[in-house]
């Protein structure tokens, strides 16, 4: 790759698109909670989970966002209220994968060994919900847009008792309305069966 | 305009950033009230939701009987119980509207007991305003409307009877800015050319620039542009005294070591 003289205009363009994307994501996350409530789900992470770091430059910009949902009418006040329920996730990833260089919205069902959980998931627990699809030590099966991940014993301990997850990728830009959210995300949760 | 006339925004504009809520209230309702009731405010207020279906049908019936410019609008009326954002008064009905934009409810009660505090003693904004409306109503029907971005509106609606109670003589309803935006889009489609079209379009665009809209995907033009990925030479004559700091000339492969140096 040769160097072309440039003043880095593309940096400014890229940043503008990122800000625009964040603005849209902010509306999307709010809409997810709203449509979720109509469909009988509440979020257990009113603020999305994310990775942030000042020292690692890949943690300067948030490119992966995860929100968790359970079937309930009121937001849970403690972990005890959601232990018996399936945990669902909505992950927005702006990194693109090896095959498709497009942003994705992934719907997930997670299964954790509940003895590892003493409190509700927090914003900074992002890694424990992200790693099953990207980290080392997981058996990841990917069939087109469908994913599954299971953990080995050692990995389980380090990831809050993560046992398995099943997921479906949806191109982010194909989600265009509250109705799309209802059908693709919340009705999609019902299709995620272990 | 209204927020400046009423002195909410100072003449120098120095307090503007603290007064965005008042500016939004004044801009939105101040403009829509230029239209006859049935061409503007009526469909806006139709979006308000009440927990009681009987109250909802009374509300819609009441809205459909008002026409022209019979309503009297008072922005931020002074009252010992506090200034509600807007009072809309008819011969037989009084409506108080409390507006939120960025911040939530101010002055909540400290919950020391299990039950919420009596509305006459509570410092909760909606309790106080319901008391104020009860006093002002006389023989008229009284409604209190809470208008806010959806997240705030939903939380405050949930907290009724948990964190606060309102006068039993006042019906409390809730509506979100996002739903008003959706209503405006529909209203614009059947609006008459001229004043109605212009006013509703401005109101719709105001809510849109404030992002008080429901989700409609990633359809903006900004996402259509192609961004070329050029590596670039990063020069800093001041700091590195004329030297050039070279960024990646080679194609980088993950997990292989590289050395960067100044020439």
């Amino acid at each position: 790759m040769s160097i072309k003289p440039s003043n880095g205009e593309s940096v400014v363009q890229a940043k503008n698109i990122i800000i625009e994307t964040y603005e849209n994501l902010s509306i999307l996350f709010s809409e997810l909670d709203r449509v979720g409530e109509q469909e009988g789900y509440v979020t257990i992470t009113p603020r999305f989970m994310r990775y942030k770091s000042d020292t690692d430059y890949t943690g300067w910009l948030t490119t992966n966002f995860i929100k968790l949902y359970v079937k309930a009418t009121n937001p849970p006040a403690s972990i005890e209220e959601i232990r018996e329920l399936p945990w669902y996730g909505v992950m927005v990833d702006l990194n693109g994968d090896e095959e498709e260089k497009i942003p994705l919205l992934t719907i997930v069902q997670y299964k954790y060994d509940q003895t590892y959980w003493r409190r509700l998931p927090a914003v900074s627990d992002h890694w424990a919900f992200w790693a099953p699809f990207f980290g080392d030590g997981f058996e990841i099966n990917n069939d087109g847009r469908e994913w599954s991940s299971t953990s080995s014993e050692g990995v389980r301990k380090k990831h809050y008792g993560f046992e398995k997850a099943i997921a479906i990728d949806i191109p982010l830009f194909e989600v265009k309305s509250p109705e799309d959210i209802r059908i693709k995300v919340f009705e999609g949760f019902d299709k995620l069966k272990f | 305009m209204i927020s400046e006339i009423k002195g909410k925004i100072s003449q120098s504009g120095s307090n503007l950033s603290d007064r965005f809520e008042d500016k939004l209230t004044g801009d939105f309702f101040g403009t829509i009230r230029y239209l006859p009731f049935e061409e503007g405010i009526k469909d806006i207020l139709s979006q308000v939701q009440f927990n009681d279906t009987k109250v909802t049908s009374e509300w819609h019936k009441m809205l459909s009987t008002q026409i022209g410019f019979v309503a009297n609008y008072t922005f931020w009326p002074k009252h010992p119980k506090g200034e509600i954002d807007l009072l809309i008064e008819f011969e037989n009905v009084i409506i108080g509207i409390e507006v939120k934009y960025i911040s939530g409810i101010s002055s909540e009660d400290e919950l020391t007991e299990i039950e919420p505090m009596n509305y006459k003693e509570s410092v909760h904004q909606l309790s106080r305003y319901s008391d104020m409306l009860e006093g002002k109503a006389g023989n008229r029907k009284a409604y209190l409307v809470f208008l806010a971005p959806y997240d705030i509106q939903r939380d405050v609606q949930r907290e009724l009877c948990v964190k606060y109670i309102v006068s039993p003589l006042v019906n409390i309803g809730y509506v979100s800015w996002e739903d008003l935006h959706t209503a405006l889009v529909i209203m614009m489609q059947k609006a008459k050319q001229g004043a109605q079209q212009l006013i509703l379009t401005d109101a719709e665009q105001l809510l849109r620039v404030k992002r008080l809209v429901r989700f409609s995907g990633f359809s903006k033009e900004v996402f259509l542009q192609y961004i070329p990925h050029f590596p670039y030479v990063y020069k800093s004559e001041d700091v590195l005294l004329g030297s050039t700091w070279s960024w990646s000339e080679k194609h980088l492969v993950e997990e292989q070591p590289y050395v960067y140096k100044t020439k």
Side-chain angles (χ1 to χ4, degrees):
Chain A
M1 203 186 275
S2 65
I3 293 182
K4 277 196 182 180
S6 121
N7 291 319
E9 292 87 346
S10 59
V11 175
V12 175
Q13 274 177 293
K15 171 255 156 197
N16 288 342
I17 293 194
I18 284 292
I19 293 296
E20 189 75 35
T21 305
Y22 281 2
E23 282 180 353
N24 271 325
L25 286 178
S26 161
I27 298 172
L28 170 66
F29 293 142
S30 178
E31 197 72 56
L32 274 169
D33 288 358
R34 178 173 186 171
V35 175
E37 278 164 31
Q38 286 159 2
E39 297 299 302
Y41 290 86
V42 290
T43 182
I44 52 179
T45 52
R47 284 157 58 212
F48 58 80
M49 299 188 287
R50 82 285 179 272
Y51 169 65
K52 223 175 199 179
S53 168
D54 288 338
T55 47
D56 167 11
Y57 70 83
T58 67
W60 292 353
L61 184 73
T62 304
T63 55
N64 186 286
F65 310 76
I66 302 175
K67 276 180 76 76
L68 299 178
Y69 293 87
V70 289
K71 257 187 188 149
T73 40
N74 289 310
S78 85
I79 183 79
E80 301 308 327
E81 295 173 31
I82 60 167
R83 281 197 196 285
E84 305 296 318
L85 301 171
W87 291 11
Y88 295 99
V90 176
M91 174 164 70
V92 172
D93 188 74
L94 307 181
N95 297 293
D97 61 20
E98 279 154 27
E99 288 149 33
E100 289 188 289
K101 298 280 175 227
I102 57 169
L104 293 171
L105 182 150
T106 304
I107 55 172
V108 195
Q109 188 185 163
Y110 293 99
K111 176 100 180 71
Y112 287 81
D113 177 344
Q114 284 294 329
T115 57
Y116 288 86
W117 285 91
R118 301 257 181 277
R119 54 163 177 78
L120 286 168
V123 167
S124 54
D125 291 330
H126 174 265
W127 57 275
F129 295 88
W130 171 87
F133 294 102
F134 301 99
D136 295 330
F138 297 89
E139 192 185 315
I140 297 169
N141 284 304
N142 175 212
D143 179 12
R145 291 200 163 137
E146 292 180 19
W147 292 76
S148 67
S149 173
T150 47
S151 61
S152 61
E153 189 55 42
V155 166
R156 190 174 301 184
K157 266 188 199 161
K158 283 189 210 153
H159 291 85
Y160 283 119
F162 172 80
E163 287 176 1
K164 55 187 173 177
I166 181 163
I168 299 172
D169 287 339
I170 302 161
L172 179 63
F173 279 35
E174 285 182 12
V175 181
K176 294 175 184 166
S177 63
E179 185 61 7
D180 278 348
I181 292 174
R182 191 177 70 78
I183 294 168
K184 293 177 181 171
V185 176
F186 291 99
E187 288 186 2
F189 282 166
D190 292 332
K191 293 180 199 147
L192 300 170
K193 294 209 167 75
F194 293 121
Chain B
M1 192 152 72
I2 296 287
S3 51
E4 214 171 328
I5 294 171
K6 292 282 179 181
K8 289 287 175 183
I9 294 168
S10 68
Q11 286 305 299
S12 62
S14 58
N15 64 345
L16 189 58
S17 60
D18 300 331
R19 293 287 178 190
F20 270 139
E21 201 168 278
D22 294 333
K23 186 173 180 304
L24 176 61
T25 306
D27 288 348
F28 188 82
F29 288 101
T31 313
I32 292 187
R33 85 189 202 292
Y34 297 150
L35 291 169
F37 188 83
E38 69 277 16
E39 287 184 22
I41 298 281
K42 181 191 159 196
D43 286 346
I44 294 293
L45 292 181
S46 297
Q47 305 306 312
V48 178
Q49 293 180 341
F50 296 88
N51 289 342
D52 185 337
T53 50
K54 198 170 142 241
V55 177
T56 308
S57 64
E58 276 175 16
W59 173 256
H60 287 290
K61 213 166 138 196
M62 179 277 288
L63 293 176
S64 60
T65 56
Q66 313 292 347
I67 46 164
F69 294 91
V70 289
N72 184 29
Y73 297 81
T74 318
F75 289 86
W76 308 290
K78 296 254 185 294
H79 192 276
K81 286 279 175 183
E83 282 180 18
I84 196 165
D85 290 303
L86 174 60
L87 268 187
I88 306 178
E89 292 176 87
F90 303 95
E91 200 186 340
N92 50 359
V93 176
I94 181 168
I95 304 167
I97 303 183
E98 177 56 17
V99 177
K100 294 292 168 198
Y101 171 33
I102 291 169
S103 55
I105 281 280
S106 66
S107 43
E108 296 194 357
D109 294 319
E110 278 180 41
L111 287 178
T112 47
E113 291 165 27
I114 297 160
E115 298 211 332
M117 206 180 268
N118 183 310
Y119 69 96
K120 291 212 175 276
E121 289 145 30
S122 170
V123 295
H124 193 286
Q125 272 187 312
L126 296 181
S127 299
R128 283 188 282 125
Y129 295 151
S130 78
D131 192 19
M132 180 262 285
L133 286 168
E134 179 193 303
K136 273 188 184 276
N139 294 325
R140 295 176 293 179
K141 270 249 171 219
Y143 295 93
L144 172 58
V145 172
F146 183 68
L147 164 60
Y150 176 73
D151 303 12
I152 298 174
Q153 177 242 308
R154 173 203 53 200
D155 288 350
V156 171
Q157 187 168 3
R158 253 192 211 138
E159 288 160 6
L160 176 67
C161 298
V162 180
K163 280 194 170 176
Y164 64 96
I165 47 177
V166 294
S167 161
L169 302 175
V170 176
N171 295 305
I172 184 161
Y174 303 85
V175 66
S176 70
W177 280 113
E178 290 87 340
D179 285 348
L180 294 195
H181 177 265
T182 306
L184 279 167
V185 171
I186 296 164
M187 288 162 75
M188 276 161 54
Q189 289 164 0
K190 50 181 184 181
K192 285 181 281 192
Q193 284 275 316
Q196 195 190 11
Q197 188 68 254
L198 287 169
I199 287 171
L200 296 181
T201 304
D202 282 356
E204 186 271 331
Q205 289 187 356
L206 177 66
L207 298 194
R208 192 200 298 257
V209 296
K210 291 190 172 295
R211 301 272 165 187
L212 294 166
V213 297
R214 296 205 66 178
F215 180 66
S216 60
F218 291 77
S219 51
K220 293 194 75 173
E221 270 176 27
V222 68
F223 295 114
L224 300 177
Q225 63 181 296
Y226 170 71
I227 303 181
H229 181 194
F230 292 130
Y232 48 88
V233 181
Y234 186 66
K235 285 182 191 165
S236 176
E237 285 163 16
D238 296 340
V239 178
L240 296 171
L241 300 169
S243 64
T244 301
W245 198 4
S246 295
W247 294 76
S248 54
E249 290 187 46
K250 289 180 212 156
H251 187 70
L252 298 186
V253 180
E254 217 174 318
E255 287 163 5
Q256 277 184 24
Y258 295 91
V259 176
Y260 292 94
K261 56 188 175 187
T262 54
K263 281 176 186 164

